[in-house]
Amino acid sequence: MRLSRFFLPTLKEDPKEAQIVSHRLMLRAGMIQQSSAGIYSWLPLGFRVLKNIERIVREEQDRAGALEILMPTIQPADLWRESGRYDDYGKEMLRITDRHERDMLYGPTNEEQVTDIFRSNVKSYKNLPLNLYHIQWKFRDEVRPRFGIMRGREFLMKDAYSFDLDYEGAKTAYNNMFVAYLKTFSRLGLNAIPLRAETGPIGGDLSHEFIVLADTGESEVFYHKDLLAQKTPDRDNYTAEELQEIVDQWTSFYAAADDMHVPEKCDVSDADLVTRRGIEVGHIFHFGEKYSNAMGATVAGPEGKDVTVSMGSYGIGVSRLVGGIIEASHDDDGIIWPESVAPFKVGLINLKSGDGACDAACDDFYGKLLDAGVDVLYDDTAGRAGEKFAKMDLIGLPWQATIGPRGVKSGVVEVKSRSSGKKQELSVDAALDLLVGKS
Amino acid sequence: MRLSRFFLPTLKEDPKEAQIVSHRLMLRAGMIQQSSAGIYSWLPLGFRVLKNIERIVREEQDRAGALEILMPTIQPADLWRESGRYDDYGKEMLRITDRHERDMLYGPTNEEQVTDIFRSNVKSYKNLPLNLYHIQWKFRDEVRPRFGIMRGREFLMKDAYSFDLDYEGAKTAYNNMFVAYLKTFSRLGLNAIPLRAETGPIGGDLSHEFIVLADTGESEVFYHKDLLAQKTPDRDNYTAEELQEIVDQWTSFYAAADDMHVPEKCDVSDADLVTRRGIEVGHIFHFGEKYSNAMGATVAGPEGKDVTVSMGSYGIGVSRLVGGIIEASHDDDGIIWPESVAPFKVGLINLKSGDGACDAACDDFYGKLLDAGVDVLYDDTAGRAGEKFAKMDLIGLPWQATIGPRGVKSGVVEVKSRSSGKKQELSVDAALDLLVGKS
């Protein structure tokens, strides 16, 4: 993509309304624009990151055997009356009346909706286990939306729902998602810690939240230093026993958020206890029969009797992760994207746009990168060199390749790694090898 | 995907509530489930088709130089008060009051929202031309939602918005989208006819709608028989002149919907005039300064003076196209998917699941198709042969491959084309070659 044809409205000054670094950098990098309080438009750069995160989340759900569906944003209130949550939910639920005076709502989550799909279609234990997920916009009418897309009102979430014949089956489904989450966050370049959590309004008796470590995180977490030394699972098709072993291993280390951590009761030595800040990016729940019972989701069991299915739900904050990754990966100059989610892999800087030789060398290098399938943002604009470097640092592409008049003469491209800051002067071919990923 | 692990709740009987064939077949094929009037969940089979259509629409927008963004579903009423449409829109607009008593709405379209993004960020003619698009859920509170997702309330639409310095520039942007639409519908396996259209509530002085031909279509269309003999444009980066030539050529033939067709005024001979039925799947508008004027979207022009930008908007009904394609491509047995949007390319039928030799041959064939990157739905269930064939015909995958005890002995796979009905008995290798697409 040529920058001259892209839409990248960056800001040189820090916007006043942004209190946290991810909000500030997303506004400065032209990733989002506020539409109203807690509601944002995603501009091209931000949209590309959002899509990359969504893709990785989807791939790991698919690998885990979950099936993708798409439930609507607007739900009928009657479904929520069946579970009793229509009254429980309070003012965070955006309530809507349609033209025929029917009570509707903008879904804040989908337990009722998916249970309705299940009970309408699945009649036999033979169709179990089943895990249905979707990636859809949700709405929670926060009283004080803040921190940009980190605590917005309209947000993109992946939510999966598992259905099993009994508690043990649902436990395996839960463990399966636990392991999928470890893989997902690892691919996103994040250190994520699973914490035993309260189940809150979702209900149930087993729950973990996944916290991404970031110095600027919203809450404090305490954990045993060996926790993050665990190997991330990397295989598919683990057996139920293997899943349980992985979960047991990851949960054998102490880990607690500030609201659960009681220093007197924590038996980890001071030398082993790490205190960091973190951001919640995922939450999984085993809630058994809470919704299937209230809504009559049963199947014919192996002995012919009706069995109420055992359920769990599994959320990942897809749009929130954009902010979470920035909180975890930035410096004073801007964002540092992990390669897996970067909006482009390479930023190509033409140091003297308008100079014939320089333009020709850059155009040629750009074409070669495109031919090799590399996503490139090519700054072909007339800006000053200093501005171009600052903009590339701000938007945080993993690699910067710079070609100027001096380099054209000597056949040299300067390649910089955004994360390490390391610069190398390379021949065109060596630079291509590095950026295409052959070397 | 093994059918035993998929979620495909097909129906044997026609559902009573469905009046048109696409609605009937989508319910019978387990593609959608109604949530409330005019609002549907997309089940795995339907979701896969929706995503394939979305991907093709996106690729053609990207090829045309449009930049993808994502605007929120919930918009502030104040934006629509600026254009005057908040009062104009009537009861089709879903109006919402949030917890702070602010007037909001679920966007039925996005002219105001995108004009706000433009005026906040673009200050100079040097950043033009610009075309921003998004693929997002919309809501129109139809008084009588019907025909399944064809006239639903919550629907997925691609809408693009172009910004140019003057009328001529906007005309080129319009022609560019016109040509992109011809390419898009062709890739979707559709015959689409551009018709000169009324601009209606969007406004402006130039508009075309794109009508897909289907015997079961909602409206009647009249056109010169040579219209569909035109070559679909296949290149990228046409010049403004080339774009105009293509549009001129396509619009040189008579074409009109029933509300515009006046037999006495139509100068096409009866021998040349074709009458068919059709479904609207796209609509493009050149409306000039209607919104930019009302909302103050100006840029500094080449001579330094502020210039009000000239705009157009370009919609494709992505979810509607799922129904439109079925209306255009089905028979008495079910859906016939064009390969480009099919949920799977191949349906593999095991005629005797549970038989060791049959299972082994099917598993082996399945593995080889997967290894070759072919999307396969493998019916490994215990159903009867007749039921399995009927289900595959119903869901309309382009190719069926059947392996039974007789074929296992003779090393033969029966391959059937869903569209032609032609069956061939082939060796395993020849069947693979055909299905992988080498032969």
Side-chain angles (χ1 to χ4, degrees):
Chain A
M1 177 67 66
R2 284 172 185 268
L3 183 59
S4 59
R5 292 180 194 168
F6 199 53
F7 179 54
L8 184 68
T10 53
L11 303 174
K12 282 178 193 157
E13 306 294 328
D14 279 338
K16 287 200 190 92
E17 70 266 37
Q19 298 170 40
I20 62 168
V21 66
S22 62
H23 190 194
R24 197 163 65 232
L25 287 173
M26 288 180 77
L27 289 171
R28 283 196 53 204
M31 293 176 64
I32 52 171
Q33 168 154 338
Q34 183 173 303
S35 168
S36 60
I39 304 182
Y40 291 84
S41 290
W42 294 78
L43 306 185
L45 195 78
F47 179 76
R48 293 173 76 99
V49 176
L50 187 69
K51 277 283 152 182
N52 285 337
I53 295 172
E54 183 185 305
R55 176 179 46 74
I56 289 171
V57 169
R58 171 176 290 126
E59 286 171 2
E60 293 302 327
Q61 292 292 296
D62 290 344
R63 278 177 70 189
L67 298 171
E68 189 165 7
I69 63 174
L70 189 60
M71 293 176 271
T73 60
I74 303 296
Q75 305 180 20
D78 281 345
L79 270 183
W80 289 67
R81 293 197 175 103
E82 286 192 58
S83 71
R85 288 207 294 179
Y86 190 66
D87 294 326
D88 294 354
Y89 226 90
K91 289 196 159 185
E92 277 204 4
M93 178 184 278
L94 189 68
R95 293 157 203 267
I96 301 171
T97 308
D98 76 5
R99 70 188 295 169
H100 296 300
E101 302 293 328
R102 284 174 295 217
D103 291 332
M104 313 290 286
L105 58 96
Y106 199 122
T109 175
N110 287 66
E111 280 81 8
E112 286 80 358
Q113 182 98 64
V114 78
T115 303
D116 182 52
I117 290 173
F118 181 88
R119 69 178 173 185
S120 308
N121 293 294
V122 182
K123 306 297 180 193
S124 163
Y125 76 96
K126 290 179 189 162
N127 296 114
L128 302 182
L130 182 65
N131 184 329
L132 300 174
Y133 79 98
H134 76 159
I135 302 174
Q136 178 62 294
W137 292 88
K138 312 281 192 295
F139 203 96
R140 286 184 196 160
D141 204 358
E142 298 267 356
V143 61
R144 275 188 309 279
R146 57 195 183 280
F147 306 149
I149 49 85
M150 294 286 282
R151 191 172 287 261
R153 294 198 291 168
E154 188 170 329
F155 58 97
L156 186 61
M157 194 167 143
K158 185 283 299 179
D159 36 327
Y161 302 89
S162 65
F163 302 88
D164 284 86
L165 193 61
D166 52 28
Y167 184 93
E168 278 309 305
K171 187 84 197 306
T172 298
Y174 183 91
N175 292 341
N176 186 37
M177 283 291 110
F178 188 111
V179 170
Y181 278 34
L182 292 176
K183 293 178 185 172
T184 303
F185 296 124
S186 167
R187 282 186 65 191
L188 294 172
L190 294 169
N191 284 313
I193 291 187
L195 298 182
R196 183 90 184 196
E198 298 289 346
T199 54
I202 301 281
D205 61 357
L206 176 59
S207 176
H208 284 89
E209 52 187 30
F210 287 77
I211 303 288
V212 161
L213 296 181
D215 293 340
T216 49
E218 61 202 347
S219 57
E220 208 158 28
V221 290
F222 303 84
Y223 60 93
H224 192 290
K225 71 177 174 49
D226 292 344
L227 174 56
L228 283 181
Q230 300 311 300
K231 184 169 159 285
T232 301
D234 53 4
R235 262 184 42 216
D236 291 341
N237 302 319
Y238 288 108
T239 65
E241 291 70 32
E242 288 170 329
L243 290 170
Q244 188 65 57
E245 276 168 30
I246 297 169
V247 172
D248 286 345
Q249 189 197 335
W250 276 81
T251 54
S252 66
F253 296 94
Y254 183 83
D258 39 13
D259 55 336
M260 301 280 267
H261 177 66
V262 181
E264 299 77 48
K265 293 195 179 166
C266 171
D267 58 2
V268 181
S269 72
D270 284 356
D272 286 342
L273 189 70
V274 183
T275 308
R276 291 281 304 270
R277 299 198 72 81
I279 299 161
E280 184 191 340
V281 291
H283 206 150
I284 61 178
F285 301 90
H286 177 317
F287 48 71
E289 304 176 9
K290 179 178 155 107
Y291 299 92
S292 48
N293 223 344
M295 298 180 65
T298 61
V299 293
E303 284 98 39
K305 268 193 278 187
D306 277 358
V307 178
T308 302
V309 294
S310 189
M311 293 176 56
S313 74
Y314 316 94
I316 291 182
V318 176
S319 50
R320 177 167 243 250
L321 271 165
V322 181
I325 292 170
I326 296 174
E327 295 287 338
S329 184
H330 66 272
D331 62 16
D332 288 346
D333 297 325
I335 303 164
I336 303 170
W337 292 116
E339 207 158 308
S340 59
V341 302
F344 298 92
K345 182 178 179 183
V346 177
L348 171 61
I349 296 174
N350 182 339
L351 276 186
K352 201 170 179 184
S353 299
D355 174 275
C358 222
D359 289 352
C362 284
D363 288 358
D364 183 62
F365 196 71
Y366 177 58
K368 284 177 174 153
L369 286 170
L370 290 186
D371 289 346
V374 178
D375 265 340
V376 195
L377 182 65
Y378 168 20
D379 188 345
D380 60 342
T381 66
R384 288 186 300 112
E387 279 174 10
K388 290 187 174 191
F389 288 128
K391 187 178 285 186
M392 280 298 175
D393 280 348
L394 173 64
I395 68 172
L397 310 183
W399 298 97
Q400 294 172 18
T402 303
I403 298 177
R406 198 173 53 84
V408 170
K409 273 187 201 149
S410 51
V412 159
V413 179
E414 185 186 271
V415 177
K416 172 180 152 182
S417 155
R418 177 66 180 90
S419 58
S420 71
K422 190 184 148 200
K423 292 177 186 174
Q424 305 175 63
E425 298 219 324
L426 298 171
S427 70
V428 169
D429 286 346
L432 279 172
D433 277 353
L434 176 68
L435 297 175
V436 174
K438 284 186 208 154
S439 64
Chain B
M1 177 66 64
R2 285 171 184 269
L3 183 58
S4 59
R5 294 182 192 166
F6 199 52
F7 179 55
L8 185 69
T10 53
L11 303 174
K12 280 175 194 161
E13 306 293 330
D14 278 339
K16 287 200 189 95
E17 71 266 36
Q19 300 169 39
I20 62 169
V21 66
S22 61
H23 189 194
R24 197 163 65 233
L25 288 174
M26 287 180 76
L27 289 171
R28 283 196 55 205
M31 293 176 64
I32 53 171
Q33 168 154 338
Q34 184 172 304
S35 168
S36 60
I39 304 182
Y40 291 84
S41 290
W42 294 78
L43 306 185
L45 196 79
F47 179 76
R48 292 173 76 100
V49 177
L50 186 70
K51 277 284 151 180
N52 285 337
I53 295 172
E54 182 186 304
R55 176 179 46 77
I56 289 171
V57 169
R58 170 176 290 128
E59 285 171 2
E60 292 302 328
Q61 292 293 295
D62 291 344
R63 278 176 71 188
L67 297 171
E68 190 166 6
I69 63 174
L70 189 59
M71 292 175 271
T73 61
I74 303 296
Q75 304 181 21
D78 281 345
L79 270 182
W80 289 68
R81 293 196 175 104
E82 285 192 60
S83 72
R85 287 208 294 179
Y86 189 66
D87 294 326
D88 293 354
Y89 227 89
K91 288 197 163 188
E92 278 203 5
M93 178 184 279
L94 188 67
R95 292 157 205 266
I96 301 171
T97 308
D98 75 6
R99 69 189 295 170
H100 296 301
E101 303 293 328
R102 284 173 295 216
D103 292 333
M104 314 289 287
L105 58 97
Y106 198 123
T109 175
N110 287 67
E111 281 80 7
E112 287 80 357
Q113 182 99 65
V114 77
T115 303
D116 182 52
I117 291 173
F118 181 88
R119 71 179 171 184
S120 308
N121 293 295
V122 182
K123 306 297 180 192
S124 163
Y125 76 97
K126 291 179 189 162
N127 297 111
L128 303 182
L130 183 65
N131 184 329
L132 299 174
Y133 80 99
H134 76 160
I135 301 175
Q136 177 62 294
W137 292 88
K138 312 281 191 296
F139 202 97
R140 284 182 197 162
D141 204 359
E142 299 267 356
V143 63
R144 276 188 307 282
R146 56 195 183 280
F147 307 150
I149 50 85
M150 294 286 283
R151 192 172 287 261
R153 295 198 290 169
E154 188 170 330
F155 59 97
L156 186 61
M157 192 169 144
K158 184 285 298 180
D159 36 327
Y161 303 89
S162 65
F163 303 87
D164 284 87
L165 192 61
D166 52 28
Y167 183 93
E168 278 309 305
K171 187 84 195 308
T172 298
Y174 182 92
N175 291 340
N176 185 38
M177 283 292 109
F178 188 110
V179 170
Y181 277 34
L182 293 175
K183 293 180 188 172
T184 302
F185 296 125
S186 168
R187 282 186 63 191
L188 294 172
L190 295 168
N191 284 313
I193 292 187
L195 297 181
R196 183 91 184 194
E198 299 288 346
T199 54
I202 301 279
D205 61 358
L206 176 59
S207 176
H208 283 88
E209 52 187 29
F210 288 78
I211 303 287
V212 162
L213 296 182
D215 292 342
T216 49
E218 63 203 347
S219 57
E220 207 158 27
V221 291
F222 304 85
Y223 60 92
H224 192 289
K225 71 175 174 53
D226 292 344
L227 174 56
L228 283 181
Q230 300 312 300
K231 183 170 157 288
T232 300
D234 53 5
R235 261 184 43 216
D236 292 340
N237 302 318
Y238 289 109
T239 65
E241 292 69 31
E242 289 170 329
L243 291 170
Q244 188 65 55
E245 276 170 28
I246 297 169
V247 172
D248 286 345
Q249 189 196 337
W250 276 80
T251 54
S252 66
F253 296 94
Y254 184 83
D258 38 15
D259 56 335
M260 302 279 268
H261 177 67
V262 181
E264 301 77 49
K265 293 194 177 167
C266 172
D267 59 2
V268 181
S269 73
D270 285 355
D272 287 341
L273 190 70
V274 183
T275 308
R276 290 281 304 273
R277 299 197 72 81
I279 298 160
E280 184 192 339
V281 291
H283 206 149
I284 61 178
F285 301 90
H286 178 315
F287 48 71
E289 304 176 9
K290 179 179 154 105
Y291 299 92
S292 48
N293 224 343
M295 298 180 66
T298 61
V299 293
E303 285 99 39
K305 268 193 277 188
D306 278 357
V307 179
T308 301
V309 294
S310 189
M311 293 175 57
S313 74
Y314 315 95
I316 290 182
V318 176
S319 50
R320 178 167 241 250
L321 270 165
V322 181
I325 291 170
I326 295 174
E327 294 288 338
S329 185
H330 66 272
D331 62 16
D332 288 346
D333 297 325
I335 303 164
I336 303 170
W337 291 117
E339 207 157 306
S340 59
V341 302
F344 298 91
K345 182 178 180 184
V346 176
L348 171 60
I349 296 174
N350 182 340
L351 276 186
K352 202 171 179 185
S353 298
D355 174 275
C358 223
D359 289 352
C362 285
D363 289 358
D364 183 62
F365 197 69
Y366 177 58
K368 282 177 174 154
L369 285 170
L370 290 185
D371 287 348
V374 178
D375 266 340
V376 194
L377 183 65
Y378 168 21
D379 188 345
D380 59 343
T381 65
R384 289 187 300 110
E387 279 175 11
K388 290 187 175 192
F389 288 128
K391 186 177 285 184
M392 281 297 176
D393 279 348
L394 173 63
I395 68 172
L397 309 184
W399 297 97
Q400 295 170 18
T402 303
I403 297 178
R406 197 173 53 82
V408 169
K409 273 186 202 152
S410 52
V412 158
V413 179
E414 186 185 271
V415 177
K416 172 179 153 182
S417 154
R418 177 65 181 91
S419 58
S420 72
K422 190 184 149 203
K423 292 178 186 173
Q424 305 175 63
E425 298 218 322
L426 298 173
S427 70
V428 169
D429 285 345
L432 279 172
D433 277 354
L434 177 68
L435 298 176
V436 174
K438 283 187 208 154
S439 64

